[in-house]
Structures are given as C-alpha cells and as structure tokens.
Amino acid sequence: MDWWIGIQNAIDYVEEHIAEDINYEEIAKKASYSGFYFQRIFGAVCGMSLGEYIRNRRLTLAGNELNSSNVKVIDIALKYGYESPESFTRAFSKFHGITPSEAKKDGSKLKAFSRISVKITVSGGSLMDYKIVEKEAFEVIEKVEIHTTENGANLKSVPAFWDRANADGTSDELLSLASEKTYLFGVCYANKNENEKTFEYSIAAACDKDTPIPQGYRRNFIPARTWAVFACVGAMPNAIQDTWKKICTEFFPHSAYQPTRELDIEAYPDGDVSSAEYRCEIWLPVEKKNKT
C-alpha cells in the first residue's frame, strides 16, 4: 500500500470514530504501519502529532454542536472524551477563545480545524541530494532514552537529549570509544513494546567488537541493509525536521524504494550545528517497492 493511501485510510478511520475512545494502534493498522511508525510519518507529513489532530477536530465539532443545538455542555464534554466539564472548558477556551457557554450564543465566533485530505501534488521543484548505499552490519556503543510521540513531545525531547549529552561529556566519551571518528549517530528504533507512543532513541558511535562498554551505555547491532542516505544542510534541529518532511512527501511517494520501518539513523559530523552551512545525513534502510 502506498504511504499516502495508508495515511488517508487512517484519517478516514479517525473521522468515523471521532467521538469514540480511539486506539492509536487501530488507527495505524489502517495505514499498515506500526503505531510508532505511523505517528512518526503522520507528524512529518501533517506537521502535527496525531493527538493534536484528534483534539483539534473534536473541539471543532464540539463548537459546531454547541452553537447549533440545545445540547448540554456536560453531554458534549463526555461525548468528545473529556472526564469533566472543567477540563473540557479549559481545552475549549484555549482552542476557540471563548467558553462553551458563550459558544451557545447567537453570533459567537468559533474556530474551525478542517479534516485533513492527503493528496499528491506537483509542487516545490526542489532537489534532494541522496544516494543508495549497501552497508555491511556494524556495531555501535550507545546511550539510550525512551521518548514519546504524544503531542509531538519528541520534537523537543530529542534535541534536549543531545544538549544534555553534549554538556555532560556523553558525546565526548562516545567519540573517544568510537572505531570511526566521522560521525555521532542519532538512532531511532521502531518500538518493540506495548506502548505505541514511545520509542527508543540513542546517541551512538560505531565501535569494534572488543570495545569495552562503560556503565550506562550498551552495545547494539545494526544489521546489513540497503540504505537511502540523504544530505541535510542547515541549523539543527529545524533542518533535520524539514528534511524528514521532504523525504516523506517528495522522495518516497515517487521513488522505487520504500522504508523497511525498522530504524533510522541521523549521522552528525563534528561542527557547529547552529550554522546555516552545517551538513549531516539521514540514513534510512529501504527495499524495492512491489510492482504488483
């Protein structure tokens, strides 16, 4: 299934069950993705987390119903998943700028967040610098943290992880143990647990088989794969996030390859990551698309 068809199927499922307790894993199944990978792709393509999309759509529909019917505020709050009128009022007021009671008045001004429709269009005309590379298996030494995609939290927590690693000596220690001093890696592993909103992210370096592993680090094995390697130019983290969006919206829809969805690697050489000239890479394991 092409990725944009899968995302649209998932969005259609969300809209059909918008007033129900939606399981994120069920949404992802409609796109034929794991829960984690779907949320990662959804965020890159749509510019928001899945949770934000659901919340904005529910508050839009809640506003419409309050303004056009005599339904009670408490009934609308419960319908759209809020445990109390107070929590609903806080969320509603933040979104619309008025309270639910005020929304019931004639002439009240409400905000609308429209349903997403995924379409492939010709736009931009930008060039993507990439290459397809066969890499043998290699080992890494890494410091690992658990991050969450909920409400797009990973867009802030992962850069904060890097800031801590650079400040507390983790990055320097990894480089001192590295078998190859070219890169520090940011490795994102597809989740292997029951929580579809969390994933493992590591800061890592390639290492030899006999490299000693200090306490607080682990050794891991990166399998031999075909990799699509994308150049990324600009200040971090915006440049890496923009490149991810282009990969999802421009490369994969038209390429002969599709991601294997096992993991991905961001490869960072030494340099000023705040510079507009800074260059790094994104490595994605890929496979040829089925022609049938």
Side-chain angles (χ1 to χ4, degrees), residues 36-37 39-40 144-150 153-155 157-158 187-193 195-202 264:
F36 159 74
Y37 206 84
Q39 291 195 72
R40 188 166 173 80
V144 185
E145 286 190 352
I146 302 296
H147 294 262
T148 178
T149 57
E150 190 167 15
N154 58 296
L155 297 179
S157 65
V158 170
V187 186
C188 181
Y189 296 99
N191 65 329
K192 298 178 182 179
N193 52 53
N195 187 344
E196 66 271 15
K197 298 179 183 179
T198 64
F199 62 98
E200 285 189 341
Y201 183 92
S202 78
D264 52 73

Side-chain angles (χ1 to χ4, degrees), residues 57-69 71 76 80 92 96 103-104 110-113:
R57 287 292 295 145
R58 283 174 170 171
L59 289 171
T60 294
L61 296 173
N64 291 341
E65 290 189 43
L66 286 169
N67 189 247
S68 61
S69 68
V71 66
I76 291 293
Y80 289 107
F92 190 95
H96 287 286
K104 296 178 72 66
L110 297 168
K111 294 180 181 178
F113 184 88

Side-chain angles (χ1 to χ4, degrees), residues 8-290:
Q8 189 62 64
N9 287 345
I11 291 171
D12 292 344
Y13 177 84
V14 168
E15 293 293 337
E16 290 166 5
H17 299 83
I18 195 69
E20 301 172 17
D21 184 13
I22 305 177
N23 183 286
Y24 281 31
E25 198 67 29
E26 287 299 317
I27 299 172
K29 286 180 182 177
K30 300 301 177 181
S32 298
Y33 289 163
S34 68
F36 159 74
Y37 206 84
F38 172 74
Q39 291 195 72
R40 188 166 173 80
I41 296 299
F42 184 92
V45 172
C46 301
M48 71 190 75
S49 70
L50 178 59
E52 287 177 298
Y53 177 76
I54 293 173
R55 181 171 60 254
N56 290 344
R57 287 292 295 145
R58 283 174 170 171
L59 289 171
T60 294
L61 296 173
N64 291 341
E65 290 189 43
L66 286 169
N67 189 247
S68 61
S69 68
N70 293 321
V71 66
K72 295 179 179 179
V73 171
I74 189 172
D75 292 334
I76 291 293
L78 294 174
K79 177 179 179 178
Y80 289 107
Y82 290 87
E83 296 181 354
S84 69
E86 291 78 17
S87 61
F88 174 65
T89 296
R90 285 194 298 270
F92 190 95
S93 300
K94 184 176 180 180
F95 181 79
H96 287 286
I98 59 175
T99 66
S101 297
E102 291 171 328
K104 296 178 72 66
K105 299 176 181 178
D106 291 339
S108 58
K109 294 182 179 181
L110 297 168
K111 294 180 181 178
F113 184 88
S114 61
R115 175 176 180 164
I116 288 178
S117 178
V118 179
K119 298 178 181 178
I120 299 301
T121 60
V122 178
S123 62
S126 59
L127 295 175
M128 291 201 72
D129 187 2
Y130 78 95
K131 55 188 176 183
I132 303 297
V133 179
E134 299 290 338
K135 287 184 178 291
E136 295 182 355
F138 62 97
E139 293 186 15
V140 296
I141 177 174
E142 57 186 3
K143 176 68 71 72
V144 185
E145 286 190 352
I146 302 296
H147 294 262
T148 178
T149 57
E150 190 167 15
N151 296 323
N154 58 296
L155 297 179
K156 294 182 179 179
S157 65
V158 170
F161 182 22
W162 277 97
D163 288 342
R164 292 194 303 276
N166 292 332
D168 65 15
T170 297
S171 297
D172 291 337
E173 185 166 19
L174 284 168
L175 281 173
S176 72
L177 296 168
S179 59
E180 182 180 329
K181 310 296 184 181
T182 306
Y183 297 110
L184 276 180
F185 299 126
V187 186
C188 181
Y189 296 99
N191 65 329
K192 298 178 182 179
N193 52 53
E194 295 180 357
N195 187 344
E196 66 271 15
K197 298 179 183 179
T198 64
F199 62 98
E200 285 189 341
Y201 183 92
S202 78
I203 298 176
C207 70
D208 295 322
K209 292 182 179 179
D210 58 355
T211 299
I213 308 301
Q215 186 175 1
Y217 296 81
R218 79 177 183 190
R219 185 192 304 276
N220 211 3
F221 183 81
I222 306 298
R225 289 291 184 269
T226 301
W227 299 82
V229 179
F230 300 88
C232 175
V233 181
M236 300 296 113
N238 290 341
I240 205 84
Q241 293 169 2
D242 290 344
T243 302
W244 266 109
K245 183 172 184 177
K246 288 183 178 181
I247 291 170
C248 294
T249 60
E250 298 179 23
F251 177 77
F252 281 125
H254 306 293
S255 137
Y257 294 91
Q258 62 187 11
T260 64
R261 307 169 190 166
E262 304 164 85
L263 76 162
D264 52 73
I265 298 176
E266 296 166 356
Y268 297 102
D270 188 28
D272 180 6
V273 297
S274 65
S275 169
E277 304 301 320
Y278 182 72
R279 299 182 66 89
C280 61
E281 294 177 342
I282 295 175
W283 301 0
L284 289 173
V286 295
E287 59 189 3
K288 286 288 186 70
K289 292 177 180 177
N290 294 327

